[in-house]
Amino acid sequence: MITIGVTGGIAAYKIIDVASLLTKKGYEVQAVMTKNATEFVAPLTFSTITSKPVIVDMFKQEKDGAVLHIEIAKKTELLLIAPATANIIAKLKNGLADDFLTTMTLATKCKVVIAPAMNSNMYTNQIVQENIEYLKSKGFLFIEPDSGLLACGDIGIGKLPTADKIVSYVLKTIEEMNIKQDLLGKKYLITAGRTVEAIDPMRYLSNYSTGKMGYALATMAQKRGAIVTLISGPTNLKPPAGVTVVNVRSAMEMYEEVHKYFKDTDVVIKAAAVADFRPKEVQQDKIKKGADTLTLELIKNPDILKSLGDAKENQILVGFAAESENLIENAINKLNSKNLDIIVANNIKQDGAGFNTDTNIATIIDKSGKINNLSKMSKEELANIILDKTRMER
Ligand code: PMT
């Protein structure tokens, strides 16, 4: 059952459409309104759409001696609070339970999705933002309000998104809730992105990795129940929800961080594109362009994956091989020389594969010599196949 908690904002009328769309999709919808919400929309409207009495009052709803707020809290699979006022957000942050909605929210163990809607000065107020951040850290999900002309005449952020947007967010959340939890409690250490090797205060050596492959792995592993630590080089990507992200720049920093976590890890997946070399000396001042040529002396970075292969106890080690020729042969060499369980080979010269694309074309090879050639697919799909494979190795 989806419970919709409606609070007292002008956007309450838009939630009639949300309730209607979800009901038409076959969901059982229970509306709960705060007293203030009933000033904006009549409970009768929601009860007509959902074919269920609307719950407003904490004490008028007892039936057959049942404690209704606990019963609804247990029955609810997803609670959507929309529109959510600054007041309800503050109450939830402080654990208040002074009406039916706040009481059942405290009592429920289901996913709670909050769609704030208010004047932009209120929404951007530091107190409201801190309350939102706090609730996010406790696992509450938030639908970002839209920007535009607000009911009060101001222009800015704070508009409730359209009913369609809210419904698709709810449906996506339900889909994610149904993802199998087959990695529950397993500790995954994933590396992503490029490393950056400083030359002088202005310049560096690096490569084209965006981090998309590693972030897809971290996202999917987390969704499947794993406890994920992501060691990430510089990227423009948003940190995946529920994942511990450790930001690094150079290969040496990545080496340090990976080894901090390695002992207490079940599976390591090294999708990062680590620089094999770094400048021998980092110039303290900007190198001047006086001479016609410039020679940089490079020294080897440690091979992080190989050092893990040498130190491996019970961990499953997955490496990537980014190749531009002899894909399988080079990948098998890396699998053996780095003592890996699995290697994922991708040809960085192939269209739709490797760096800076949303897709990849990979061949997965395991230590028994089994070779699985995969077709072009999204990095999320490939991530799931790699994660399946790590389960089979256990
Ligand atoms: O980030 P995206 O834009 O999504 O691109 C994805 C990707 C192309 C970066 C990814 O699919 C990929 O192939 N990652 C591995 C890149 C790489 O460094 O490959 P390699 O063949 O040079 O290294 C082999 C393995 O050793 C890799 O797992 C690498 O992380 C690891 N390595 C390499 C060098 C080094 N000094 N330390 C390492 O641990």
Side-chain angles (χ1 to χ4, degrees):
M1 180 174 85
I2 298 174
T3 296
I4 304 183
V6 188
T7 73
I10 181 67
Y13 75 92
K14 291 190 190 171
I15 304 307
I16 298 166
D17 274 349
V18 173
S20 165
L21 287 167
L22 289 171
T23 309
K24 281 185 189 146
K25 286 191 183 292
Y27 288 96
E28 181 185 354
V29 175
Q30 170 68 61
V32 171
M33 298 177 79
T34 62
K35 282 225 165 63
N36 288 344
T38 64
E39 299 286 335
F40 292 91
V41 179
L44 182 64
T45 317
F46 281 108
S47 59
T48 310
I49 282 169
T50 60
S51 311
K52 268 178 186 294
V54 172
I55 306 173
V56 180
D57 200 300
M58 182 73 190
F59 299 105
K60 280 196 191 146
Q61 313 282 340
E62 301 289 306
K63 64 164 198 214
D64 310 329
V67 183
L68 195 65
H69 64 275
I70 302 294
E71 196 180 300
I72 298 289
K74 280 186 185 157
K75 235 183 132 189
T76 300
E77 286 143 297
L78 183 142
L79 169 61
L80 167 69
I81 302 181
T85 56
N87 187 44
I88 184 88
I89 291 169
K91 280 189 188 179
L92 294 179
K93 192 255 159 175
N94 288 293
L96 293 189
D98 64 352
D99 61 7
F100 191 94
L101 180 58
T102 47
T103 311
M104 80 144 284
T105 308
L106 272 191
T108 191
K109 288 203 175 302
C110 75
K111 274 265 172 253
V112 182
V113 175
I114 299 181
M118 63 196 81
N119 166 273
S120 54
N121 287 344
M122 287 174 78
Y123 181 70
T124 53
N125 184 300
Q126 203 184 338
I127 298 170
V128 174
Q129 286 304 312
E130 281 174 14
N131 289 344
I132 290 175
E133 283 315 309
Y134 179 83
L135 289 171
K136 279 185 184 170
S137 75
K138 298 290 170 207
F140 288 73
L141 300 174
F142 276 79
I143 308 180
E144 175 97 348
D146 283 347
S147 291
L149 181 62
L150 304 171
C152 56
D154 285 358
I155 293 177
I157 189 163
K159 246 173 117 70
L160 191 76
T162 60
D164 281 340
K165 263 198 204 168
I166 295 175
V167 168
S168 31
Y169 190 96
V170 166
L171 297 182
K172 194 176 126 254
T173 307
I174 291 173
E175 194 185 304
E176 285 176 1
M177 279 158 45
N178 293 333
I179 292 176
K180 56 184 175 187
Q181 293 293 292
D182 58 347
L183 306 181
L184 198 64
K186 292 285 166 204
K187 291 183 180 151
Y188 275 67
L189 179 61
I190 296 170
T191 69
R194 64 208 174 101
T195 65
V196 164
E197 311 296 333
I199 298 172
D200 70 10
M202 191 171 158
R203 305 172 180 101
Y204 57 78
L205 294 175
S206 194
N207 59 64
Y208 295 114
S209 170
T210 56
K212 284 182 180 175
M213 190 65 242
Y215 275 56
L217 281 156
T219 304
M220 299 323 295
Q222 192 277 339
K223 284 185 179 168
R224 288 169 63 168
I227 301 162
V228 183
T229 305
L230 176 65
I231 316 273
S232 172
T235 77
N236 292 324
L237 304 175
K238 257 174 73 182
V243 167
T244 304
V245 181
V246 179
N247 291 305
V248 296
R249 288 183 68 76
S250 64
M252 293 303 282
E253 282 175 29
M254 187 172 277
Y255 179 92
E256 294 289 322
E257 292 301 330
V258 165
H259 277 276
K260 268 188 210 164
Y261 289 90
F262 181 57
K263 229 181 159 34
D264 191 27
T265 291
D266 298 304
V267 178
V268 181
I269 310 181
K270 283 218 77 260
V274 185
D276 290 321
F277 292 91
R278 68 178 185 276
K280 186 173 181 195
E281 275 170 39
V282 180
Q283 300 303 315
Q284 293 308 307
D285 293 303
K286 184 180 163 192
I287 299 170
K288 296 287 176 211
K289 63 171 176 200
D292 283 346
T293 59
L294 173 71
T295 305
L296 274 180
E297 192 178 352
L298 303 180
I299 54 167
K300 229 179 186 168
N301 271 326
D303 187 322
I304 306 169
L305 193 52
K306 175 148 185 5
S307 70
L308 299 180
D310 293 340
K312 179 161 101 166
E313 290 167 346
N314 297 319
Q315 296 91 340
I316 290 167
L317 261 194
V318 183
F320 270 72
E323 306 294 342
S324 57
E325 55 182 349
N326 304 329
L327 184 72
I328 305 299
E329 192 186 323
N330 289 341
I332 291 174
N333 281 341
K334 284 177 184 169
L335 176 86
N336 294 330
S337 65
K338 300 188 191 207
N339 192 20
L340 308 180
D341 297 280
I342 302 163
I343 193 145
V344 183
N346 47 194
N347 182 344
I348 50 168
K349 278 167 86 181
Q350 200 172 0
D351 264 359
F355 296 119
N356 202 11
T357 55
D358 292 329
T359 56
N360 209 346
I361 305 166
T363 300
I364 300 184
I365 309 169
D366 67 24
K367 60 175 186 263
S368 73
K370 200 161 151 231
I371 298 180
N372 187 5
N373 287 308
L374 299 169
S375 54
K376 183 158 118 181
M377 61 183 74
S378 73
K379 285 185 172 166
E380 282 72 23
E381 284 172 282
L382 176 59
N384 269 326
I385 295 175
I386 297 167
L387 294 171
D388 288 344
K389 191 82 185 141
T390 63
R391 282 193 65 231
M392 282 151 60
E393 293 291 315
R394 286 212 294 267

